[in-house]
Amino acid sequence: MKRTLWSVAALIGLSILIFSLSRMLPGDPARMALGPRAPEYVVEELRVEMRLDQPLHIQYGYWASGVVRGDFGRSLMTRRAVSQDIRAYLPATIELVIFAATVQVIFGIALGVLSTMYNGRWVDNIIRIVAYLGIVTPAFVFGVIFLLIFGYLWPILPAAGRLSVEPAITGMTTVDSLLKGDFSSFFRAISHFILPGTALAMNGVAQLARVTRSSMVDNLKSDYVDMAFSQGLNESKIMFKYLLRPSLIPSVSMMAMQFAILFSNAFLVELIFNWPGLSRYGVNAMLYKDFNAIIAVVLVLGIVFIIANILADTIIALLDPRIRLQAGKGA
Amino acid sequence: MWYKFSRSKLSVIGLFIVVSVILLAIFAPFIVPYPLHAGAYTDFANANQAPSAEFLMGSDNIGRDILSRIVFGLRSAITMSLFVLAISVPFGVFMGLIAGYFQRSLIDSVITRITDIFLSVPPLVLALVIASLLEPSLRNAMLAITIMWWPWYTRLVYGQASSISRLDFVRASELSGVKWWNLLFKEILPNCVSPILTKVTLDMGLVIIIASSLAFVGLGEQPPAPALGNMVADGAKYMPEQWWMTIFPALAIMIVVLGFNLLGDGIRDLYSMEDK
């Protein structure tokens, strides 16, 4: 709880930092909004409207009071309210990131377990080499390679954009098509996720496989596992019932960090696969110097980051009875 | 020490990659077949050539040799990493040391809160934002990455410094009148060297990833300078016909980062062996 409050405070600090940077740097936002040909008096009017003529802390005050009401100002790029843009683009990104996170959890942990079961043998070695390559490859390189292979050379999967399901209910194509009971568009929606989602997930799959493996191999040497073996329990039962659960704790705390990294790598992957999400919107805003939109995107990501950390703490508590009991005592 | 290090083949491979990339970077103008092609050069007669004896990795859409551009791209990537770490590591380490030593003081809480601000959003996002607020260029990309990099070192050193400053020998030297800065730099800092060194090596690769991501998006080094991220992004427009324009720069990034990672892991193993 205390940690959450501090993270919110940190976000406020971040907003002050970015806000002042955006206002203090050379370049006139009003002039940029209107273009070089607009007459000076029109620019001057906009400057007053944007409160650029007032001191920085007052500008921040107006801006912050808007944010509290959910008003991030107007986007220079789309000429719509930024909050409206975010509502339009955020679902696509969340959906993509959740898909990628699912891929990470399933494949990362499966590979980690497999690696432990074949500890030291060739399966283990291959998994470790592949994991190493996964860690050193930037997400955009995976994106480009996937695009080359599955988009052009062997086009079995849709390589650009995503399905649009009308009318949008939640804005998430998979959820919307399920809500309408339309399974064929559900599967088509899923097929759009495979390339960008996997490209996004690769890095985390590799990290997670490594962390899971090393923590399982460590626990393999512990006394309670020895005891389980000596009682003659079969191997897969030991692996999954006794060994995996405590070994997942480092993996889960890494997942929280990975979740944040997924959002930042989405900035690259959405660009490659032309995915209409928040990150592509954010990159365009950055290239366009659309300050209201930039700050809003960063704050939304910050909030997601906080939520991910809370979730991770909760899951760790569920996995580890020691932490759970301590929290129950109110310690 | 070398004997212990060389027992792991992977670390030796890592060291080999790192040394050869650094040599390539230093002697780039003398090694590459077409040094002029690293800049704004056009030769439409030789545009879009597939890899051949003349252009080992092919040529791009305006006739520049991809291999030459990759070597120069590596050069700027390495320079950039060195610059970023040369500034952010000493600064971050110093902040971590004083925050860890003066525990529960005003300095401690101010520094901790500031690092919290920088760590409250994913690193790449913050670098993108800072780079976009400034004009996109190599210098500003370096600046943006430096600004977001130091808090990680503060955090790393903070934990070490605070646990060491609680040890008896530190209390004893304080009582016998050793000045705090002597304690910090002569007693506490040497105890943090091995994790710092490991992280610096791994970070050389990470900075290259972040920098090329910035360039990929268009917020890093600007054309016609040969940045690896730019080259991947440019080449992606000409896929699949001119695949060499994308794949070779992408491979170059992977190999450099792999080298630094292998070396970093090797260094870490070396220190953990010494602990035993």
Side-chain angles (χ1 to χ4, degrees), chain A residues 6 10 14 21 25 132 136-137 140-141 144 148 152 210 260 264 267-268 272 283 286-287 289 291 298 301 305, chain B residues 113 117 119-122 124-125 128-129 132-135 213 216-217 239-240 246 250 254 258 261-262 265:
Chain A
W6 275 121
L14 184 72
L21 259 178
L25 289 168
Y132 224 108
V136 300
T137 311
F140 69 89
V141 170
V144 169
L148 179 66
Y152 298 113
R210 255 173 74 130
S264 49
F267 274 79
L268 309 164
I272 298 171
V283 169
M286 286 168 190
L287 293 171
K289 288 196 179 279
F291 295 130
V298 173
L301 290 183
F305 202 6
Chain B
R113 292 312 146 214
I117 291 178
L119 303 179
S120 64
V121 283
L124 177 61
V125 177
L128 283 170
V129 170
S132 70
L133 293 179
L134 311 164
E135 284 303 313
S213 303
F216 180 81
V217 172
M239 281 201 307
T246 300
M254 285 170 68
L258 179 70
N261 267 280
L262 290 174
D265 283 356

Side-chain angles (χ1 to χ4, degrees), chain B residues 164 169-170 173 182-192:
Chain B
I164 294 169
F169 84 94
V170 177
S173 6
N182 277 331
L183 261 176
L184 271 191
F185 292 106
K186 293 198 179 138
E187 305 296 340
I188 298 177
L189 182 60
N191 280 301
C192 309

Side-chain angles (χ1 to χ4, degrees), chain B residues 100-129:
Chain B
Y101 182 71
F102 296 107
Q103 282 223 337
R104 311 236 164 99
S105 66
L106 187 64
I107 304 179
D108 174 17
S109 45
V110 169
I111 294 178
T112 316
R113 292 312 146 214
I114 293 178
T115 51
D116 277 354
I117 291 178
F118 282 94
L119 303 179
S120 64
V121 283
L124 177 61
V125 177
L126 195 58
L128 283 170
V129 170

Side-chain angles (χ1 to χ4, degrees), chain A:
Chain A
M1 191 60 212
K2 204 177 157 200
R3 222 177 103 191
T4 313
L5 282 180
W6 275 121
S7 350
V8 173
L11 267 191
I12 296 173
L14 184 72
S15 77
I16 295 178
L17 182 82
I18 298 177
F19 189 87
S20 352
L21 259 178
S22 73
R23 291 296 191 269
M24 283 184 313
L25 289 168
D28 177 359
R31 173 55 79 187
M32 273 189 287
L34 294 170
R37 297 235 212 114
E40 186 54 36
Y41 73 92
V42 182
V43 178
E44 193 53 47
E45 265 174 27
L46 185 68
R47 242 175 243 145
V48 175
E49 196 195 309
M50 290 169 83
R51 301 199 182 84
L52 294 173
D53 52 341
Q54 293 177 21
L56 195 63
H57 61 276
I58 295 181
Q59 287 184 39
Y60 181 79
Y62 276 112
W63 177 82
S65 70
V67 169
V68 173
R69 283 179 276 117
D71 173 16
F72 286 97
R74 196 158 280 278
S75 158
L76 298 180
M77 184 173 58
T78 60
R79 317 244 162 221
R80 292 193 298 174
V82 172
S83 52
Q84 217 177 328
D85 283 343
I86 287 184
R87 221 167 296 146
Y89 293 114
L90 184 61
T93 296
I94 290 189
E95 211 179 2
L96 182 65
V97 167
I98 289 178
F99 181 88
T102 316
V103 171
Q104 283 185 354
V105 170
I106 296 174
F107 286 92
I109 292 176
L111 287 177
V113 172
L114 213 62
S115 213
T116 318
M117 287 169 87
Y118 291 95
N119 189 6
R121 279 179 272 171
W122 62 271
V123 177
D124 180 29
N125 287 332
I126 288 179
I127 293 177
R128 287 168 75 185
I129 292 170
V130 171
Y132 224 108
L133 288 177
I135 288 171
V136 300
T137 311
F140 69 89
V141 170
F142 274 122
V144 169
I145 292 176
F146 280 14
L147 195 61
L148 179 66
I149 298 177
F150 297 106
Y152 298 113
L153 301 182
W154 190 35
I156 48 165
L157 289 165
R162 66 171 200 159
L163 199 68
S164 73
V165 176
E166 296 294 337
I169 305 167
T170 58
M172 300 192 195
T173 51
T174 47
V175 180
D176 284 357
S177 54
L178 276 186
L179 283 178
K180 288 195 301 182
D182 180 356
F183 287 101
S184 79
S185 55
F186 173 73
F187 287 115
R188 272 189 297 141
I190 288 278
S191 75
H192 279 81
F193 279 102
I194 295 177
L195 287 185
T198 316
L200 193 55
M202 288 304 275
N203 227 284
V205 169
Q207 302 261 19
L208 209 56
R210 255 173 74 130
V211 171
T212 309
R213 177 189 181 276
S214 73
S215 127
M216 280 182 82
V217 169
D218 278 352
N219 282 339
L220 203 54
K221 293 175 202 136
S222 64
D223 294 341
Y224 79 94
V225 175
D226 269 351
M227 194 180 93
F229 272 113
S230 65
Q231 286 183 334
L233 295 177
N234 75 351
E235 197 187 322
S236 62
K237 193 172 177 189
I238 297 174
M239 277 287 167
F240 290 101
K241 195 166 174 199
Y242 297 111
L243 185 55
L244 186 57
R245 197 168 126 157
S247 308
L248 280 181
I249 293 169
S251 317
V252 173
S253 50
M254 208 196 68
M255 268 308 289
M257 191 60 216
Q258 271 300 322
F259 205 67
I261 292 175
L262 279 178
F263 269 95
S264 49
N265 280 335
F267 274 79
L268 309 164
V269 172
E270 286 187 2
L271 215 59
I272 298 171
F273 292 98
N274 208 12
W275 191 261
L278 187 70
S279 307
R280 203 187 57 167
Y281 174 74
V283 169
N284 287 332
M286 286 168 190
L287 293 171
Y288 203 88
K289 288 196 179 279
D290 186 348
F291 295 130
N292 285 339
I294 297 176
I295 302 183
V297 169
V298 173
L299 289 186
V300 169
L301 290 183
I303 292 168
V304 172
F305 202 6
I306 296 177
I307 297 174
N309 275 319
I310 297 174
L311 273 181
D313 286 351
T314 319
I315 298 175
I316 290 173
L318 289 177
L319 285 172
D320 189 343
R322 281 167 301 187
I323 300 175
R324 190 171 59 220
L325 292 176
Q326 217 167 39
K329 271 186 246 158

